[in-house]
Amino acid sequence: MPFVYNGLPSRVIFGSGTLSRLADEVRELGCRRAIVLATPQQATQGRKVLEQLGELGAGLFAEARMHTPVEITDRAMRQVEALGADCTVAIGGGSTIGLGKAISLRADLPQVAIPTTYAGSEMTPILGETQDGLKTTQRTLRVLPETVIYDVDLTLGLPTAMSGTSGINAIAHAVEALYARDRNPIVSLMAEEGIAALARSLPVIAHDPENATARSDALYGAWLCGVCLGSVGMALHHKLCHTLGGSFDLPHAETHTIVLPHAVAYNAAAAPEAMSHIARALGASDAADGLFDLACAVGAPLALADIGLKEADIVRATEIATANPYWNPREIEADGIRRLLENACAGRRPESTTRTDS
């Protein structure tokens, strides 16, 4: 079978205690003045990273926010310029790593990403930014981090609730890679392996959050899922989540977790081979049910209404999601998307939707 596979040019350091290599990795990039990025909640961790950098640390910007608002990036750029920073070191999840990407797009600075969640943004050349209530995405190698340091020790303290939703967010990348228009057998191998690693580790973490083996397995799975996201296009699920996050300010990982089983149910009949791979990786008989049951097993929220979406928002969300849809294996139908969102808003078990196209 002919296919095209593009390997992404990132350097990955994986293991326990690997944060100790940070200064050497900054030097390897030829940099001497690193600005450390973090969210306000991870400012203490950011300061520790700055201390670890020693003379290579130029300063800390701890104002990263979810969905990468343009105004936050503008503020960060002013500090980058004031400090004379020549690279960024982002520690945290998708919010912080997204800010590093936005800075790199504007200033062309090398990036070191240190993920502390399972979001996967560190492995992608994709940047999503929010301005005036709308989230837009672009794909360019300019925003791909040059170096990624995966340190399992940094995930041991990740709260169990965040671990579960972050991990299922990662699974979403692999799920859509399996039915992507530009899918290929190499990425499909990574996708199934990534889903399986997270599916077996997340329930363990929910009950034993300091289980180092499960944490390592989850971080490994998240890495593979992130590669999938960076290597092929995404579809309906990601469009819906970008709409809900950017326009209704819903939390990123929780939104992905709730929407995923419903998006998979919507696409099930149009992508049977992908559904078989997903179900096998989950150890389930049905892909959508297996994803819903995994969310239940890790104690994740199941209803968009519980994380801020109002029933009155569904019509507007449907309009935005269908106005400029991503490619999808099944035709995007407004009535079907509205039903999908209604089910996700109410927290119902996913249902197979009936095609209206002939």
Side-chain angles (χ1 to χ4, degrees):
M1 180 180 78
F3 65 89
V4 174
Y5 170 70
N6 291 313
L8 297 174
S10 289
R11 174 176 167 83
V12 173
I13 296 96
F14 188 101
S16 294
T18 49
L19 185 61
S20 63
R21 298 175 58 171
L22 174 59
D24 289 340
E25 294 300 323
V26 169
R27 292 189 186 96
E28 184 74 19
L29 291 172
C31 299
R32 294 294 181 269
R33 292 189 60 76
I35 182 170
V36 177
L37 308 175
T39 61
Q41 295 81 9
Q42 290 186 289
T44 299
Q45 198 167 30
R47 282 189 286 271
K48 290 179 180 177
V49 169
L50 185 63
E51 291 172 5
Q52 186 166 340
L53 282 166
E55 63 181 12
L56 299 177
L60 170 68
F61 182 85
E63 299 179 38
R65 272 181 48 201
M66 189 170 59
H67 307 305
T68 321
V70 169
E71 63 269 21
I72 297 296
T73 302
D74 291 342
R75 197 179 305 160
M77 283 301 304
R78 290 193 288 272
Q79 189 160 340
V80 165
E81 292 165 3
L83 294 171
D86 61 4
C87 74
T88 64
V89 173
I91 182 162
S95 299
T96 308
I97 292 168
L99 176 59
K101 290 178 171 185
I103 291 170
S104 182
L105 182 68
R106 290 159 175 75
D108 200 24
L109 297 186
Q111 303 173 70
V112 178
I114 308 167
T116 60
T117 72
Y118 306 131
S121 175
E122 66 281 354
M123 293 308 301
T124 78
I126 301 168
L127 170 63
E129 296 182 281
T130 303
Q131 186 172 24
D132 300 326
L134 290 176
K135 187 170 186 176
T136 58
T137 62
Q138 58 181 303
R139 179 184 290 262
T140 169
L141 285 174
R142 287 187 60 179
V143 305
L144 181 71
E146 281 75 8
T147 304
V148 180
I149 298 176
Y150 288 105
D151 190 335
V152 175
D153 295 348
L154 296 178
T155 67
L156 294 175
L158 187 65
T160 54
M162 190 181 298
S163 298
T165 56
S166 179
I168 297 176
N169 175 22
I171 286 175
H173 311 328
V175 163
E176 294 224 298
L178 284 165
Y179 53 66
R181 177 167 48 181
D182 53 349
R183 64 189 178 276
N184 63 72
I186 308 305
V187 170
S188 293
L189 284 170
M190 295 182 185
E192 188 168 345
E193 172 72 1
I195 294 169
L198 283 157
R200 64 177 174 257
S201 59
L202 293 178
V204 176
I205 291 168
H207 297 285
D208 183 9
E210 295 190 6
N211 186 307
T213 300
R215 287 291 189 181
S216 181
D217 222 14
L219 196 59
Y220 164 70
W223 168 31
L224 292 175
C225 293
V227 174
C228 294
L229 175 63
S231 300
V232 297
M234 296 288 109
L236 169 66
H237 170 78
H238 281 76
K239 177 64 175 183
L240 288 174
C241 292
H242 290 160
T243 297
L244 294 167
S247 298
F248 301 94
D249 201 31
L250 301 190
H252 183 82
E254 290 87 345
T255 301
H256 275 270
T257 298
I258 294 166
V259 170
L260 183 60
H262 301 279
V264 166
Y266 183 93
N267 282 329
E273 184 178 355
M275 298 303 145
S276 176
H277 286 290
I278 296 163
R280 182 169 63 196
L282 293 168
S285 59
D286 177 83
D289 278 343
L291 290 164
F292 188 83
D293 290 340
L294 179 60
C296 293
V298 301
L302 302 175
L304 291 174
D306 292 340
I307 61 170
L309 190 72
K310 300 178 177 62
E311 192 172 347
D313 295 331
I314 292 174
V315 172
R316 176 62 178 150
T318 301
E319 291 173 352
I320 297 171
T322 56
N324 185 26
Y326 295 176
W327 178 89
N328 192 63
R330 175 183 168 183
E331 183 180 348
I332 301 298
E333 306 158 358
D335 286 346
I337 300 305
R338 178 179 48 77
R339 288 198 303 272
L340 184 164
L341 289 172
E342 286 172 349
N343 287 335
C345 189
R348 303 184 186 107
R349 180 169 285 275
E351 62 181 33
S352 296
T353 53
T354 303
R355 286 178 179 271
T356 59
D357 54 304
S358 56

